[in-house]
Short mmCIF file of all heavy atoms in Angstrom, two decimals:
data_model
loop_
_atom_site.label_atom_id
_atom_site.label_comp_id
_atom_site.label_asym_id
_atom_site.label_seq_id
_atom_site.Cartn_x
_atom_site.Cartn_y
_atom_site.Cartn_z
N GLY Z 1 0.83 -1.20 0.00
CA GLY Z 1 0.00 0.00 0.00
C GLY Z 1 0.87 1.25 0.00
O GLY Z 1 2.09 1.20 0.09
N THR Z 2 0.21 2.38 -0.10
CA THR Z 2 0.95 3.64 -0.13
C THR Z 2 1.14 4.15 1.29
O THR Z 2 0.25 4.00 2.13
CB THR Z 2 0.18 4.69 -0.95
OG1 THR Z 2 -1.10 4.86 -0.38
CG2 THR Z 2 0.07 4.27 -2.40
N PRO Z 3 2.28 4.73 1.57
CA PRO Z 3 2.49 5.29 2.91
C PRO Z 3 1.57 6.48 3.15
O PRO Z 3 1.23 7.21 2.23
CB PRO Z 3 3.96 5.71 2.91
CG PRO Z 3 4.38 5.73 1.49
CD PRO Z 3 3.43 4.89 0.71
N GLN Z 4 1.17 6.67 4.39
CA GLN Z 4 0.27 7.77 4.76
C GLN Z 4 1.09 8.90 5.37
O GLN Z 4 1.97 8.65 6.19
CB GLN Z 4 -0.76 7.29 5.78
CG GLN Z 4 -1.63 6.16 5.30
CD GLN Z 4 -2.49 6.56 4.13
OE1 GLN Z 4 -2.96 7.69 4.05
NE2 GLN Z 4 -2.69 5.64 3.20
N GLN Z 5 0.79 10.12 4.99
CA GLN Z 5 1.44 11.30 5.55
C GLN Z 5 0.56 11.83 6.69
O GLN Z 5 -0.64 12.04 6.49
CB GLN Z 5 1.60 12.39 4.50
CG GLN Z 5 2.44 11.99 3.30
CD GLN Z 5 3.90 11.81 3.66
OE1 GLN Z 5 4.43 12.55 4.47
NE2 GLN Z 5 4.53 10.82 3.07
N LEU Z 6 1.16 12.04 7.86
CA LEU Z 6 0.40 12.53 9.01
C LEU Z 6 1.05 13.78 9.55
O LEU Z 6 2.27 13.86 9.69
CB LEU Z 6 0.39 11.46 10.12
CG LEU Z 6 -0.08 11.90 11.51
CD1 LEU Z 6 -1.55 12.28 11.48
CD2 LEU Z 6 0.18 10.82 12.53
N ALA Z 7 0.23 14.79 9.85
CA ALA Z 7 0.68 16.01 10.54
C ALA Z 7 -0.20 16.17 11.77
O ALA Z 7 -1.42 16.20 11.65
CB ALA Z 7 0.58 17.23 9.64
N MET Z 8 0.41 16.24 12.95
CA MET Z 8 -0.36 16.39 14.19
C MET Z 8 -0.06 17.74 14.81
O MET Z 8 1.09 18.14 14.89
CB MET Z 8 0.00 15.28 15.17
CG MET Z 8 -0.47 13.92 14.72
SD MET Z 8 -0.16 12.65 15.94
CE MET Z 8 -1.28 13.12 17.22
N SER Z 9 -1.10 18.41 15.28
CA SER Z 9 -0.94 19.68 15.96
C SER Z 9 -1.40 19.51 17.40
O SER Z 9 -2.57 19.23 17.66
CB SER Z 9 -1.78 20.76 15.28
OG SER Z 9 -1.83 21.91 16.08
N LYS Z 10 -0.47 19.70 18.33
CA LYS Z 10 -0.79 19.57 19.74
C LYS Z 10 -1.68 20.72 20.20
O LYS Z 10 -2.60 20.55 20.98
CB LYS Z 10 0.51 19.54 20.54
CG LYS Z 10 0.36 19.16 21.98
CD LYS Z 10 1.73 19.05 22.62
CE LYS Z 10 1.65 18.56 24.04
NZ LYS Z 10 2.96 18.45 24.65
N LYS Z 11 -1.42 21.91 19.68
CA LYS Z 11 -2.18 23.10 20.08
C LYS Z 11 -3.63 23.00 19.62
O LYS Z 11 -4.55 23.26 20.38
CB LYS Z 11 -1.52 24.35 19.50
CG LYS Z 11 -2.23 25.63 19.85
CD LYS Z 11 -1.52 26.82 19.20
CE LYS Z 11 -2.28 28.09 19.44
NZ LYS Z 11 -1.75 29.19 18.67
N GLU Z 12 -3.84 22.64 18.35
CA GLU Z 12 -5.19 22.55 17.79
C GLU Z 12 -5.85 21.22 18.10
O GLU Z 12 -7.05 21.06 17.87
CB GLU Z 12 -5.14 22.75 16.27
CG GLU Z 12 -4.65 24.09 15.82
CD GLU Z 12 -5.65 25.19 16.08
OE1 GLU Z 12 -6.86 24.92 16.03
OE2 GLU Z 12 -5.22 26.31 16.33
N ARG Z 13 -5.08 20.25 18.58
CA ARG Z 13 -5.57 18.90 18.85
C ARG Z 13 -6.17 18.30 17.59
O ARG Z 13 -7.33 17.89 17.55
CB ARG Z 13 -6.56 18.89 20.01
CG ARG Z 13 -5.91 19.33 21.32
CD ARG Z 13 -6.82 19.20 22.50
NE ARG Z 13 -7.21 17.79 22.68
CZ ARG Z 13 -8.38 17.41 23.17
NH1 ARG Z 13 -9.26 18.29 23.51
NH2 ARG Z 13 -8.65 16.13 23.30
N THR Z 14 -5.35 18.29 16.52
CA THR Z 14 -5.79 17.73 15.25
C THR Z 14 -4.76 16.76 14.71
O THR Z 14 -3.58 16.82 15.06
CB THR Z 14 -5.99 18.84 14.19
OG1 THR Z 14 -4.75 19.48 13.95
CG2 THR Z 14 -7.04 19.83 14.59
N GLY Z 15 -5.23 15.88 13.86
CA GLY Z 15 -4.38 15.00 13.08
C GLY Z 15 -4.81 15.11 11.64
O GLY Z 15 -5.99 14.94 11.33
N THR Z 16 -3.89 15.43 10.75
CA THR Z 16 -4.21 15.62 9.34
C THR Z 16 -3.48 14.58 8.51
O THR Z 16 -2.26 14.46 8.61
CB THR Z 16 -3.81 17.03 8.86
OG1 THR Z 16 -4.42 17.99 9.72
CG2 THR Z 16 -4.23 17.27 7.43
N PHE Z 17 -4.25 13.83 7.71
CA PHE Z 17 -3.69 12.80 6.84
C PHE Z 17 -3.85 13.23 5.39
O PHE Z 17 -4.87 13.79 5.02
CB PHE Z 17 -4.42 11.46 7.03
CG PHE Z 17 -4.15 10.80 8.34
CD1 PHE Z 17 -4.94 11.08 9.44
CD2 PHE Z 17 -3.12 9.89 8.47
CE1 PHE Z 17 -4.71 10.47 10.65
CE2 PHE Z 17 -2.88 9.26 9.68
CZ PHE Z 17 -3.68 9.55 10.78
N SER Z 18 -2.87 12.91 4.60
CA SER Z 18 -2.97 13.08 3.16
C SER Z 18 -3.16 11.68 2.58
O SER Z 18 -2.34 10.79 2.80
CB SER Z 18 -1.69 13.72 2.61
OG SER Z 18 -1.75 13.79 1.22
N VAL Z 19 -4.28 11.49 1.86
CA VAL Z 19 -4.60 10.18 1.30
C VAL Z 19 -4.79 10.30 -0.20
O VAL Z 19 -5.05 11.39 -0.72
CB VAL Z 19 -5.88 9.58 1.96
CG1 VAL Z 19 -5.66 9.32 3.43
CG2 VAL Z 19 -7.09 10.48 1.76
N ARG Z 20 -4.68 9.17 -0.88
CA ARG Z 20 -4.89 9.16 -2.33
C ARG Z 20 -6.38 9.13 -2.62
O ARG Z 20 -7.14 8.45 -1.95
CB ARG Z 20 -4.20 7.95 -2.96
CG ARG Z 20 -2.68 8.06 -2.83
CD ARG Z 20 -1.96 6.90 -3.45
NE ARG Z 20 -1.88 6.84 -4.90
CZ ARG Z 20 -1.35 7.74 -5.71
NH1 ARG Z 20 -0.88 8.86 -5.21
NH2 ARG Z 20 -1.27 7.54 -7.00
N ASP Z 21 -6.79 9.84 -3.65
CA ASP Z 21 -8.19 9.86 -4.07
C ASP Z 21 -8.20 9.60 -5.58
O ASP Z 21 -8.18 10.53 -6.38
CB ASP Z 21 -8.85 11.19 -3.73
CG ASP Z 21 -10.33 11.21 -4.10
OD1 ASP Z 21 -10.95 10.14 -4.11
OD2 ASP Z 21 -10.84 12.31 -4.36
N GLY Z 22 -8.19 8.35 -5.94
CA GLY Z 22 -8.13 8.01 -7.35
C GLY Z 22 -6.69 7.86 -7.79
O GLY Z 22 -5.76 7.72 -6.98
N LEU Z 23 -6.51 7.89 -9.10
CA LEU Z 23 -5.19 7.62 -9.67
C LEU Z 23 -4.20 8.76 -9.48
O LEU Z 23 -3.09 8.57 -9.01
CB LEU Z 23 -5.36 7.29 -11.15
CG LEU Z 23 -4.17 6.67 -11.85
CD1 LEU Z 23 -3.75 5.38 -11.15
CD2 LEU Z 23 -4.50 6.40 -13.31
N ASN Z 24 -4.61 9.96 -9.83
CA ASN Z 24 -3.68 11.09 -9.79
C ASN Z 24 -4.17 12.23 -8.90
O ASN Z 24 -3.90 13.39 -9.19
CB ASN Z 24 -3.46 11.64 -11.20
CG ASN Z 24 -2.71 10.68 -12.08
OD1 ASN Z 24 -1.82 9.98 -11.60
ND2 ASN Z 24 -3.07 10.61 -13.35
N ALA Z 25 -4.87 11.91 -7.86
CA ALA Z 25 -5.39 12.97 -6.99
C ALA Z 25 -5.18 12.57 -5.53
O ALA Z 25 -4.93 11.42 -5.21
CB ALA Z 25 -6.87 13.21 -7.26
N SER Z 26 -5.29 13.59 -4.69
CA SER Z 26 -5.15 13.33 -3.25
C SER Z 26 -6.29 14.02 -2.52
O SER Z 26 -7.01 14.84 -3.08
CB SER Z 26 -3.80 13.83 -2.74
OG SER Z 26 -3.73 15.22 -2.88
N ALA Z 27 -6.42 13.66 -1.26
CA ALA Z 27 -7.44 14.26 -0.40
C ALA Z 27 -6.83 14.43 0.98
O ALA Z 27 -5.81 13.82 1.31
CB ALA Z 27 -8.68 13.37 -0.34
N ALA Z 28 -7.46 15.27 1.77
CA ALA Z 28 -7.00 15.50 3.14
C ALA Z 28 -8.11 15.05 4.09
O ALA Z 28 -9.28 15.37 3.89
CB ALA Z 28 -6.69 16.96 3.36
N VAL Z 29 -7.69 14.31 5.12
CA VAL Z 29 -8.61 13.88 6.17
C VAL Z 29 -8.11 14.51 7.46
O VAL Z 29 -6.96 14.34 7.83
CB VAL Z 29 -8.66 12.34 6.31
CG1 VAL Z 29 -9.57 11.94 7.47
CG2 VAL Z 29 -9.12 11.70 5.02
N VAL Z 30 -8.99 15.27 8.14
CA VAL Z 30 -8.61 15.97 9.37
C VAL Z 30 -9.45 15.43 10.52
O VAL Z 30 -10.67 15.50 10.48
CB VAL Z 30 -8.83 17.50 9.23
CG1 VAL Z 30 -8.48 18.20 10.53
CG2 VAL Z 30 -8.03 18.06 8.09
N TYR Z 31 -8.75 14.92 11.53
CA TYR Z 31 -9.41 14.52 12.78
C TYR Z 31 -9.28 15.70 13.73
O TYR Z 31 -8.16 16.05 14.12
CB TYR Z 31 -8.72 13.31 13.40
CG TYR Z 31 -9.00 11.99 12.73
CD1 TYR Z 31 -8.33 11.62 11.58
CD2 TYR Z 31 -9.92 11.11 13.28
CE1 TYR Z 31 -8.57 10.39 10.98
CE2 TYR Z 31 -10.17 9.88 12.69
CZ TYR Z 31 -9.49 9.53 11.53
OH TYR Z 31 -9.73 8.32 10.95
N GLU Z 32 -10.39 16.32 14.10
CA GLU Z 32 -10.37 17.41 15.07
C GLU Z 32 -10.90 16.86 16.39
O GLU Z 32 -12.11 16.77 16.60
CB GLU Z 32 -11.19 18.61 14.59
CG GLU Z 32 -10.49 19.38 13.51
CD GLU Z 32 -11.01 20.79 13.33
OE1 GLU Z 32 -12.10 21.10 13.83
OE2 GLU Z 32 -10.31 21.57 12.68
N TYR Z 33 -9.96 16.50 17.27
CA TYR Z 33 -10.32 15.83 18.51
C TYR Z 33 -11.03 16.76 19.49
O TYR Z 33 -11.87 16.32 20.26
CB TYR Z 33 -9.07 15.23 19.15
CG TYR Z 33 -8.38 14.24 18.24
CD1 TYR Z 33 -7.20 14.56 17.60
CD2 TYR Z 33 -8.95 13.00 17.98
CE1 TYR Z 33 -6.58 13.67 16.74
CE2 TYR Z 33 -8.35 12.10 17.13
CZ TYR Z 33 -7.16 12.43 16.50
OH TYR Z 33 -6.56 11.55 15.66
N SER Z 34 -10.73 18.04 19.45
CA SER Z 34 -11.38 18.98 20.37
C SER Z 34 -12.85 19.17 20.03
O SER Z 34 -13.68 19.42 20.91
CB SER Z 34 -10.65 20.31 20.37
OG SER Z 34 -10.68 20.88 19.08
N LYS Z 35 -13.22 19.09 18.74
CA LYS Z 35 -14.60 19.27 18.30
C LYS Z 35 -15.30 17.94 18.03
O LYS Z 35 -16.48 17.92 17.68
CB LYS Z 35 -14.64 20.11 17.01
CG LYS Z 35 -14.05 21.50 17.15
CD LYS Z 35 -15.06 22.44 17.67
CE LYS Z 35 -14.53 23.86 17.58
NZ LYS Z 35 -15.53 24.82 17.96
N LEU Z 36 -14.55 16.82 18.13
CA LEU Z 36 -15.05 15.48 17.81
C LEU Z 36 -15.65 15.44 16.41
O LEU Z 36 -16.76 14.98 16.18
CB LEU Z 36 -16.07 15.00 18.85
CG LEU Z 36 -15.48 14.69 20.23
CD1 LEU Z 36 -16.59 14.34 21.21
CD2 LEU Z 36 -14.46 13.56 20.16
N LEU Z 37 -14.86 15.95 15.44
CA LEU Z 37 -15.25 15.97 14.04
C LEU Z 37 -14.15 15.36 13.17
O LEU Z 37 -12.97 15.42 13.52
CB LEU Z 37 -15.50 17.40 13.55
CG LEU Z 37 -16.72 18.14 14.07
CD1 LEU Z 37 -16.70 19.58 13.58
CD2 LEU Z 37 -17.99 17.46 13.62
N VAL Z 38 -14.58 14.82 12.03
CA VAL Z 38 -13.63 14.41 11.00
C VAL Z 38 -14.05 15.13 9.73
O VAL Z 38 -15.23 15.15 9.38
CB VAL Z 38 -13.66 12.88 10.75
CG1 VAL Z 38 -12.69 12.50 9.65
CG2 VAL Z 38 -13.34 12.13 12.00
#
């Protein structure tokens, strides 16, 4: 599989992933733990 890129912010309490979306595109998935949202 493809490696996942993760950026975590302690101040904002978030985790941001860069994922593949199709063949030549990407998407961002953000976990916002303080708001309990993705």
Side-chain angles (χ1 to χ4, degrees):
T2 58
Q4 301 296 324
Q5 300 291 323
L6 167 66
M8 291 184 69
S9 169
K10 191 175 184 180
K11 180 181 175 189
E12 297 288 328
R13 296 186 61 212
T14 62
T16 305
F17 290 89
S18 176
V19 295
R20 294 181 75 59
D21 183 27
L23 194 57
N24 292 324
S26 64
V29 177
V30 178
Y31 285 81
E32 285 199 345
Y33 301 106
S34 61
K35 300 275 190 175
L36 290 175
L37 289 174
V38 179

